[in-house]
Amino acid sequence: MVEGPGCKLKGEKMKGKIVGQRVIQVSGNAIENRPKRDLDKPTPFHALIGKKILDVKTLGKELFIFFCSGDCLRVHFLMAGFVRYNDKSEDPDESAKKKIPEKPRLQLQLDKDTVSLYQCSTEIREGEETQARWDKQITLDICWSEFDSHRASQEIMAERNADRLICDVILDQEILPGVGNIIKNEALFDAGINPLTKVKELTAGHVTRLVKMNRDFSMIFYDCRKTGKPLHKFYKIYRFSKCKQCEGKVTKCKPGEYERGTYFCAACQNNALEAGPSKNSLLGWASGTGTSSTWSCESCTFENKPGSLKCFACGTGKAKRKSSETTINQSSKKTNLGSSTKTAEVSPFQSKVFRPRSTNAPATNSSKENDNKDSDEVELCKSHKKPCALKTVSKDGVNKGRIFYSCSLSRGKSCDHFAWADLHHPRCKHNLISILREVYKQNQNNGRSFYVCPKAKKEQCDFFQWKDE
């Protein structure tokens, strides 16, 4: 899923490139993939021809293009959507495979540029209503420069959410637009909160801390996507089998309303306010007076690099922070963390309460190194002679679910190395190479890997074998 930070970057680039241009022609699957009897009729997208683009905005995972006619084109990038300008592959969310993608969902030919939207959903909406919704929700956008943490905390703790799981509430795009599954898992770990906890079981102190963790990891996510740094190096729980904090077993499940992959350590995420990462962590909590290598923003409390003159998250100048923020009293910190409603009401996002140890020390191991592997052998890519990344085929077809090795470098730098990583897997009763699955049910086998038939459920044979037996 393209999460909020990725969508925000797409919107920023699009705004700088196409605002002021007019639509000359429209094409793509959204127009051509219609019943034959409708091919001669105009679509809602044809109404954009001749119209000038006034603005581009994002809200969470949604992108809006506003036109002078009062229309608005709404784009959602789904699981792996991306944008091309003049058919150039520049979007970090585009696959590293150097293959020409299928026809775009929608293509806008403009005065100067051609915008192609791939693997996404598109629809025309009424501009005024969309603008009103944007105005109402934007301060809840996890990537917005003027993100309102106090309002976000209140939305989470609203009575209507009392019986919902916290892992569902923070994925709700009406509550925290832009938060996706990766951010959810990492923020819950950083806050020390069990994702299966109901909102009514949390204090205001818990929720305040969780909101801050969502905000901070979203900024890390944004920075990685913008600079090309590998985000997986900053993972501490997502898709791991062993906790990087206590080295205990990670529980894997798909709970709640959305049934998204959820990963947590029951020992570290015990809802104790002093819980959370303390080693090998970008957002580790200091137990002492904090570090002098970073400074905390007065407005949003994001921990910035020592050389930064303004906050990376919200733009507040470094000189505006209070001098009292440079020291933290240990006893008062414990008191603030232990309180609930009073802490949130007086100062819902105080850096005195939440002080990360470091903001520029990535976790030592990537999630790809912690994924279940079939052997300890290291596959090196043929061009760079560096350890490969282990990936899984997600595209529908005969190879869906199979694992393979590819170059681990970022798109644009990677070579075309490819090798199947499952040739030693046992074969099923169809004489096909089996695929590896994991147990997500919460029982004694949670997290165990097993081999099954690679065919679709209706066609599967009854082959089954535990990986560790």
Side-chain angles (χ1 to χ4, degrees), residues 99 223 270 411 424:
K99 293 182 180 179
D223 185 51
N270 58 7
R411 189 185 64 83
H424 60 287

Side-chain angles (χ1 to χ4, degrees), residues 303-341:
E303 294 294 314
N304 294 274
K305 295 179 181 179
S308 301
L309 298 179
K310 63 180 182 178
C311 177
F312 172 78
C314 69
T316 302
K318 181 178 181 181
K320 293 185 180 180
R321 64 192 179 109
K322 298 178 181 178
S323 60
S324 61
E325 288 182 6
T326 58
T327 59
I328 302 176
N329 182 276
Q330 175 68 8
S331 60
S332 65
K333 180 182 178 182
K334 288 185 177 180
T335 301
N336 285 334
L337 282 174
S339 64
S340 58
T341 307

Side-chain angles (χ1 to χ4, degrees), residues 63-319:
L63 183 146
F64 305 109
I65 304 176
F66 292 89
F67 294 85
C68 63
S69 59
D71 292 321
C72 173
L73 174 62
R74 184 255 192 187
V75 182
H76 192 293
F77 291 101
L78 306 177
M79 293 299 295
F82 59 93
V83 184
R84 278 189 172 189
Y85 298 96
N86 305 314
D87 204 32
K88 292 183 179 179
S89 177
E90 300 174 343
D91 194 322
D93 285 315
E94 185 172 349
S95 172
K97 295 180 181 179
K98 300 176 177 62
K99 293 182 180 179
I100 299 175
E102 70 278 13
K103 189 174 290 186
R105 175 64 180 169
L106 183 66
Q107 183 168 284
L108 303 178
Q109 183 180 339
L110 309 178
D111 294 332
K112 301 177 182 178
D113 300 289
T114 299
V115 181
S116 304
L117 304 168
Y118 290 88
Q119 299 176 14
C120 60
S121 68
T122 55
E123 62 176 310
I124 300 295
R125 290 187 175 180
E126 207 284 319
E128 190 172 332
E129 290 181 4
T130 303
Q131 180 65 53
R133 176 171 169 260
W134 187 90
D135 291 337
K136 180 182 178 181
Q137 293 288 103
I138 191 58
T139 57
L140 293 174
D141 189 325
I142 201 68
C143 293
W144 183 242
S145 59
E146 298 178 19
F147 173 67
D148 189 339
S149 58
H150 181 67
R151 182 188 173 195
S153 298
Q154 289 180 323
E155 288 287 335
I156 291 173
M157 297 193 72
E159 184 62 30
R160 65 182 182 278
N161 297 322
D163 290 316
R164 299 176 71 190
L165 298 181
I166 188 62
C167 63
D168 286 332
V169 174
I170 60 176
L171 275 183
D172 190 330
Q173 296 304 293
E174 294 299 314
I175 296 176
L176 283 180
V179 172
N181 205 41
I182 297 174
I183 298 172
K184 176 202 78 176
N185 279 285
E186 293 298 324
L188 284 165
F189 181 76
D190 289 328
I193 295 175
N194 189 307
L196 305 184
T197 307
K198 290 186 177 181
V199 172
K200 64 183 179 183
E201 297 168 356
L202 298 173
T203 66
H206 286 109
V207 175
T208 297
R209 182 171 182 170
L210 178 58
V211 170
K212 175 173 170 54
M213 293 301 95
N214 276 279
R215 170 70 169 180
D216 283 1
F217 194 80
S218 295
M219 292 298 98
I220 296 162
F221 199 137
Y222 175 87
D223 185 51
C224 287
R225 285 289 183 266
K226 188 172 185 177
T227 60
K229 291 184 288 188
L231 179 65
H232 65 79
K233 289 188 176 181
F234 298 99
Y235 293 170
K236 296 175 287 296
I237 195 70
Y238 183 66
R239 289 190 173 177
F240 282 107
S241 297
K242 182 187 292 185
C243 176
K244 297 183 70 175
Q245 175 68 19
C246 69
E247 299 187 352
K249 180 182 176 182
V250 170
T251 300
K252 304 177 181 182
C253 56
K254 294 183 178 180
E257 305 161 24
Y258 303 113
E259 297 184 345
R260 299 297 305 279
T262 300
Y263 310 84
F264 67 94
C265 172
C268 295
Q269 293 172 255
N270 58 7
N271 296 349
L273 279 168
E274 66 273 9
S278 61
K279 68 177 183 179
N280 296 335
S281 170
L282 186 70
L283 297 171
W285 296 103
S287 58
T289 59
T291 174
S292 59
S293 63
T294 62
W295 59 274
S296 181
C297 174
E298 181 185 27
S299 299
C300 70
T301 74
F302 185 78
E303 294 294 314
N304 294 274
K305 295 179 181 179
S308 301
L309 298 179
K310 63 180 182 178
C311 177
F312 172 78
C314 69
T316 302
K318 181 178 181 181

